[in-house]
């Protein structure tokens, strides 16, 4: 059978990533490579609120980027990273984390939104930063998302044994010559990168959900930490595609739809 | 030649001195027990020796290339983490199937490999933790109240196992306990701790030392007092006769 011109154009446009849906699908897929294993650590270490605080700080990062003409990614990376470091060092000094995280997380969000309101051009666009705008992911965004996700996955794979040991028990890690503080820093850096690249896809309010929901769903299916991390990535990827389709089919907001699909996955396991 | 030594170390937590001027050492092949009441700084001393807790004064010397095995007081694994015994043994150094089977057999935990860590009983968990510590082929095994949560037969069996492994490998053992009757059976040397070192020596010497008696109950009879005290928490009063038997043992 000979290809019709239509088919040929479709295939060509997929290869060239012309279609915004193809780009959106690939963005969700790429992100899932990182959110699977990182999400598993967030669950194991009970860092859910920590993830939230870091993600909320990204909104402040957007404002910083707008004010200084930096790329949005650089601004979010810096501020999310600073927030994650602050929270991690407070936790190491034994602060009451529940309250501290609540204060930091919500003030970062509030300050960020107030700061963004000083840029009238962006003001109308605010929901894109809060809930993401995956359908607007361009080729350059896609490259950054994949680069960030692969970097995080490689970082976690490199430190895997040490991260797991330190997560199980810090004293046990110490006795084996592993510095738990350094491994915590690895996770903090990974989290800041994921937040920065995921902002475009699901937005600041839903990044923590991207991390936690697939990992929680994968828990029941896994007998080892490795299978849980891989299952979380697969569940995350499938749910991103399902969320896209849901959003296409019912014209629902895409970022929240992906989270809904991820939650749905954990029901039908 | 000592494997590990502390020279005049002090540890403070937020202005409170938890350990004061501690000097001790562990030689090759000996079993040393640190004994003391709750809050006497036993665990802190172990953690300082391992380098987990920073010391404010003095210094800690380790033999070059010292291999350490560590069995923590308890290992609380979050139920959100799925991990089998086999996988746990491969942290942080991956080991082969044969080696895993051999070390589990050595501690009497055959066949536990595929089990989830969170499904183990207290005694099984202690054996698995010991197995993991032995994988490093340690010169010095450090145990922090390793039999907490075990019943008495379990406890006795665990210390027999430690003794067997010591015989087989010649490793030194440093452990923390608050049970003198265990110490009597299993130690070469006892260090009696209450923020500072009160007394030290063979179990028999320590149990008759006035400092020891002052620490574990003035006006009572040392070992018996401690033993009764511990036992009364676990059982009701119907076991008085049982105490008596142990007293003569």
């Amino acid at each position: 059978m000979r290809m019709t011109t239509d088919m040929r154009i479709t295939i060509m446009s997929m290869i060239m990533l012309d279609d915004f849906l193809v780009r959106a699908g690939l963005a969700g897929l790429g992100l899932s490579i990182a959110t699977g294993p990182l999400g598993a650590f967030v669950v194991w270490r009970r860092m859910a609120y920590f993830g939230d605080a870091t993600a909320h700080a990204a909104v402040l990062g957007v404002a910083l980027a707008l004010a200084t003409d930096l790329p949005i990614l650089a601004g979010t990376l810096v501020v999310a990273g600073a927030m994650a470091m602050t929270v991690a060092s407070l936790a190491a000094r034994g602060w009451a984390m529940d309250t501290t995280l609540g204060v930091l997380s919500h003030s970062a969000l509030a300050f960020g939104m107030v700061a963004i309101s000083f840029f009238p051009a962006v003001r109308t666009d605010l929901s894109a930063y809060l809930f993401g705008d995956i359908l607007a992911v361009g080729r350059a965004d896609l490259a950054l998302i994949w680069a960030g996700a692969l970097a995080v996955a490689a970082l976690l794979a490199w430190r895997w044994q040490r991260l797991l040991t330190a997560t199980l028990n810090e004293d046990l890690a110490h006795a084996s010559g592993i510095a738990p503080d350094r491994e915590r820093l690895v996770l903090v850096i990974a989290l800041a990168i994921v937040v920065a690249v995921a902002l475009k896809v699901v937005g600041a309010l839903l990044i923590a959900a991207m991390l936690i929901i697939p990992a929680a769903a994968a828990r029941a299916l896994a007998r080892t930490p490795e299978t849980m991390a891989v299952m979380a990535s697969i569940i995350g990827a499938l749910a991103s595609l399902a969320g896209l389709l849901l959003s296409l089919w019912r014209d629902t907001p895409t970022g929240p739809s992906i989270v809904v699909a991820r939650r749905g996955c954990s029901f039908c396991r | 030649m000592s494997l590990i030594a502390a020279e005049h170390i002090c540890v403070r937590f937020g202005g409170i001195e938890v350990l004061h001027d501690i000097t001790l050492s562990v030689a090759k092949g000996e079993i040393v027990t640190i004994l003391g009441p709750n809050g006497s700084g036993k665990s802190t001393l172990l953690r300082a020796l391992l380098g987990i807790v920073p010391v404010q004064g003095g210094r800690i010397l380790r033999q070059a290339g010292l291999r350490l095995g560590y069995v923590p007081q308890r290992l609380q694994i979050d139920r959100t983490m799925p991990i089998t015994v086999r996988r746990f043994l491969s942290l942080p150094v991956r080991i082969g199937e044969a080696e895993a089977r051999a070390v589990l057999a050595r501690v009497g935990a055959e066949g536990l490999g595929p089990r989830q860590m969170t499904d183990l009983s207290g005694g099984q968990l202690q054996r698995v933790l010991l197995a993991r510590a032995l994988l490093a082929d340690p010169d010095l095994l450090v145990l922090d109240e390793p039999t907490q949560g075990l019943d008495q037969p379990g406890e006795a069996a665990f210390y027999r196992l430690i003794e067997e492994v010591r015989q087989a490998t010649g490793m030194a053992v440093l452990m923390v306990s608050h049970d003198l009757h265990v110490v009597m059976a299993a130690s070469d040397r006892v260090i009696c701790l209450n923020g500072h070192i009160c007394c030290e020596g063979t179990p028999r010497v320590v149990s008759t030392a006035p400092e020891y008696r002052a620490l574990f109950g003035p006006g009572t009879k040392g070992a018996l007092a401690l033993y009764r005290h511990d036992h009364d928490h676990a059982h009701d009063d119907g076991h008085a006769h049982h105490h008596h038997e142990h007293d003569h043992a």
Side-chain angles (χ1 to χ4, degrees):
Chain A
M1 192 187 91
R2 286 192 52 195
M3 273 189 185
T4 63
T5 319
D6 269 3
M7 280 173 75
R8 212 171 292 165
I9 289 170
T10 310
I11 291 168
M12 275 308 289
S13 74
M14 279 181 82
I15 292 168
M16 301 301 290
L17 308 176
D18 279 345
D19 193 317
F20 69 95
L21 266 182
V22 174
R23 289 196 302 266
L26 286 175
L29 222 58
L31 204 52
S32 300
I33 296 169
T35 53
L38 185 61
F41 278 110
V42 169
V43 168
W44 295 331
R45 292 178 160 244
R46 302 181 176 267
M47 286 166 59
Y49 282 113
F50 187 104
D52 249 344
T54 309
H56 288 177
V59 175
L60 198 55
V62 171
L64 177 77
L66 293 172
T68 56
D69 274 336
L70 276 170
I72 299 285
L73 185 83
T76 51
L77 198 59
V78 166
V79 179
M83 171 66 95
M85 299 268 191
T86 308
V87 173
S89 71
L90 290 179
R93 273 184 246 155
W95 283 51
M97 284 325 286
D98 190 44
T99 308
T100 312
L101 281 175
V103 170
L104 287 175
S105 167
H106 294 111
S107 39
L109 187 62
F111 274 99
M113 289 178 63
V114 168
I116 287 181
S117 73
F118 289 122
F119 302 91
V122 194
R123 223 170 152 161
T124 49
D125 211 18
L126 193 58
S127 82
Y129 295 114
L130 296 181
F131 300 107
D133 193 4
I134 193 174
L135 300 181
V137 167
R139 273 189 212 144
D141 297 324
L142 195 55
L144 280 176
I145 288 167
W146 274 80
L150 289 177
V152 165
L155 180 66
L156 296 183
W158 172 44
R159 310 294 295 187
W160 189 257
Q161 289 281 92
R162 278 167 283 197
L163 281 169
L164 269 185
T165 311
T167 300
L168 270 178
N169 184 286
E170 297 209 340
D171 288 358
L172 218 53
H174 253 300
S176 301
I178 296 164
D181 291 349
R182 194 181 309 144
E183 303 314 315
R184 199 178 304 121
L185 185 64
V186 167
L187 288 179
V188 162
I189 292 169
L191 193 61
I193 296 175
V194 164
V195 163
V197 299
L199 189 68
K200 185 93 185 178
V201 179
V202 284
L205 294 183
L206 297 174
I207 290 171
M210 290 280 277
L211 289 166
I212 294 160
I213 295 175
R219 169 62 185 93
L221 309 171
R223 291 186 50 77
T224 62
E226 289 74 20
T227 43
M228 179 162 156
V230 171
M231 291 301 297
S233 279
I234 294 171
I235 290 171
L238 291 177
S240 297
L241 298 182
L244 264 182
L245 292 176
L246 173 69
S247 143
L248 196 65
W249 174 46
R250 304 296 302 190
D251 197 23
T252 51
T254 315
S257 300
I258 289 175
V259 173
V260 165
R262 288 192 167 203
R263 186 67 191 95
C265 280
S266 54
F267 278 127
C268 58
R269 65 190 176 207
Chain B
M1 173 73 219
S2 62
L3 296 174
I4 197 163
E7 289 180 353
H8 306 290
I9 61 167
C10 295
V11 174
R12 269 179 229 108
F13 289 143
I16 297 162
E17 195 165 57
V18 181
L19 291 175
H20 173 71
D21 194 22
I22 306 280
T23 297
L24 64 86
S25 69
V26 181
K28 202 166 174 297
E30 71 172 338
I31 297 187
V32 177
T33 299
I34 300 168
L35 189 69
N38 286 339
S40 59
K42 298 176 305 241
S43 292
T44 304
L45 178 52
L46 278 198
R47 288 157 58 84
L49 288 170
L50 289 170
I52 300 169
V53 170
V55 296
Q56 270 83 36
R59 56 181 187 160
I60 289 163
L61 302 168
R62 285 187 189 191
Q63 191 188 64
L66 178 73
R67 287 189 307 271
L68 270 174
Y70 175 58
V71 177
Q73 195 171 59
R74 60 177 73 86
L75 184 69
Q76 195 77 53
I77 294 183
D78 199 294
R79 291 206 73 90
T80 56
M81 187 192 275
I83 185 163
T84 59
V85 169
R86 174 68 187 85
R87 182 67 188 89
F88 176 73
L89 291 177
S90 272
L91 285 175
V93 181
R94 289 191 188 272
I95 57 161
E97 207 53 54
E99 198 180 348
R101 213 167 293 144
V103 80
L104 285 177
R106 189 170 178 192
V107 300
E110 295 94 339
L112 289 186
R115 293 273 293 277
Q116 286 289 306
M117 289 288 288
T118 44
D119 294 343
L120 299 180
S121 71
Q124 289 171 331
L125 182 62
Q126 285 318 120
R127 280 164 193 269
V128 168
L129 287 174
L130 178 63
R132 184 188 165 279
L134 292 177
L135 282 170
D137 190 19
D139 307 306
L140 174 65
L141 183 65
V142 179
L143 306 112
D144 191 355
E145 301 212 29
T147 58
Q148 255 194 1
L150 298 194
D151 57 12
Q152 284 204 324
E155 194 177 11
F158 188 79
Y159 283 110
R160 263 200 309 278
L161 178 60
I162 301 273
E163 175 61 30
E164 276 168 34
V165 176
R166 198 254 309 235
Q167 294 286 344
T169 62
M171 68 181 181
V173 178
L174 176 64
M175 58 188 168
V176 151
S177 177
H178 57 256
D179 294 321
L180 190 72
H181 73 291
V182 165
V183 170
M184 283 287 194
S187 311
D188 300 321
R189 201 149 57 83
V190 176
I191 293 170
C192 193
L193 189 75
N194 192 21
H196 61 284
I197 292 180
C198 303
C199 53
E200 89 177 272
T202 63
R204 202 144 295 280
V205 167
V206 165
S207 65
T208 55
E211 294 89 344
Y212 170 80
R213 291 193 179 184
L215 195 55
F216 286 104
T220 56
K221 291 180 195 138
L224 177 64
L226 179 68
Y227 185 49
R228 269 188 195 282
H229 173 78
D230 268 353
H231 210 151
D232 287 349
H233 281 287
H235 301 279
D236 54 32
D237 291 331
H239 285 71
H241 189 67
H242 193 56
H243 288 168
H244 191 69
E245 284 170 13
H246 275 276
D247 189 29
H248 288 291

